[in-house]
Amino acid sequence: MSDARTVALGVLASFLASAPLLLFGTVGVAWSATAGLSVLCLALSRVALRRTRHATLPVLGLSEAHAGPNELVEAALDSATTDIDFWGVSATRTARSPSAREAMLRVAANGGTVRYLLMNPSGQALARRAVDEGERVEALANEIESTVTRLKSFADNNSVAIQVRYFDTYPIWRYVCLDRSRATVNWFLPRKPGHHSPFMLLTNTANGLFFPIQKSFEEAWANAKEA
């Protein structure tokens, strides 16, 4: 329903509500006017709220948001052409995904870069994350090391340059950025794997959320060590 139609219906409703009361004198007129103004204000407030809500999302660069879990990361890689950046704990599912492998081959063929920023399997923060995910520290460390081995084997067998580094801090974001222009972002919650949190799809806008999260990745990457 258009904004103009919403307002018009509100005005019409106010008049319909007040018409019978006009027969009952001054008190009735006052009541009907109040009722009419209330209906009109309600209609206008709904229009303003709808406009504000839809105007805010593009400013933030937020194209979609979902409650989770996020099962779309690997499928989203199908649109990558020049760059893939992954920032998370172990990237186990991503490294195993046929979609991810096809995407990495495509990016490499276009002369792009593929970067994985994973938790240090021997770092102190890993124990805290293991507790939050309900995993044994050794099992989580093995997952990370297996991912690195899998990625190295894939890179060697397909002549793809894949960079992998380790970070030592407790993870905040689970971030997959494609072509330096759009990203899927989750956040790590207590007692949940990263992909079980809500998630959002961000595009690179002038003043949106994409820039600070990408900047966080670049800073973490610069301070990480080679796997």
Side-chain angles (χ1 to χ4, degrees):
M1 183 181 294
S2 66
D3 295 345
R5 188 178 177 188
T6 301
V7 174
L9 287 176
V11 174
L12 178 60
S14 70
F15 279 115
L16 291 175
S18 63
L21 297 172
L22 290 174
L23 299 175
F24 296 96
T26 305
V27 175
V29 171
W31 188 91
S32 65
T34 302
L37 286 174
S38 298
V39 173
L40 180 59
C41 289
L42 177 61
L44 290 174
S45 66
R46 289 178 61 189
V47 170
L49 179 61
R50 185 163 60 250
R51 283 179 174 173
T52 301
R53 182 170 61 246
H54 289 294
T56 301
L57 299 183
V59 171
L60 297 177
L62 182 62
S63 57
E64 289 185 44
H66 301 274
N70 181 7
E71 307 293 345
L72 303 177
V73 172
E74 288 69 36
L77 291 172
D78 291 341
S79 64
T81 57
T82 59
D83 297 278
I84 297 173
D85 291 330
F86 181 100
W87 185 13
V89 172
S90 66
T92 300
R93 295 192 315 154
T94 303
R96 294 175 181 270
S97 166
S99 295
R101 294 182 180 186
E102 291 178 9
M104 289 187 286
L105 289 173
R106 183 170 57 253
V107 166
N110 291 331
T113 60
V114 178
R115 298 185 293 179
Y116 283 83
L117 185 56
L118 309 177
M119 285 199 77
N120 186 345
S122 59
Q124 294 182 352
L126 189 71
R128 293 170 53 202
R129 187 59 219 165
V131 170
D132 278 345
E133 292 202 11
E135 291 275 3
R136 293 185 300 108
V137 178
E138 297 80 4
L140 194 53
N142 288 338
E143 280 189 12
I144 297 169
E145 291 168 351
S146 295
T147 294
V148 175
T149 299
R150 186 172 288 106
L151 290 173
K152 184 179 185 304
S153 176
F154 177 78
D156 291 343
N157 292 336
N158 295 278
S159 300
V160 176
I162 300 176
Q163 303 175 61
V164 184
R165 293 186 183 181
Y166 288 147
F167 66 95
D168 288 306
T169 56
Y170 189 87
I172 305 298
W173 305 110
R174 184 177 183 267
Y175 162 91
V176 180
C177 184
L178 307 178
D179 303 338
R180 310 289 169 88
S181 63
R182 57 199 183 279
T184 301
V185 182
N186 295 74
W187 39 97
F188 288 95
L189 298 173
R191 297 174 297 281
K192 289 184 179 181
H195 68 287
H196 280 198
S197 74
F199 69 99
M200 54 188 173
L201 303 180
L202 297 175
T203 55
N204 191 359
T205 57
N207 301 303
L209 291 170
F210 180 90
F211 172 77
I213 297 178
Q214 183 195 38
K215 182 65 174 176
S216 297
F217 170 83
E218 294 295 348
E219 291 293 322
W221 180 265
N223 291 287
K225 62 183 181 182
E226 296 290 337

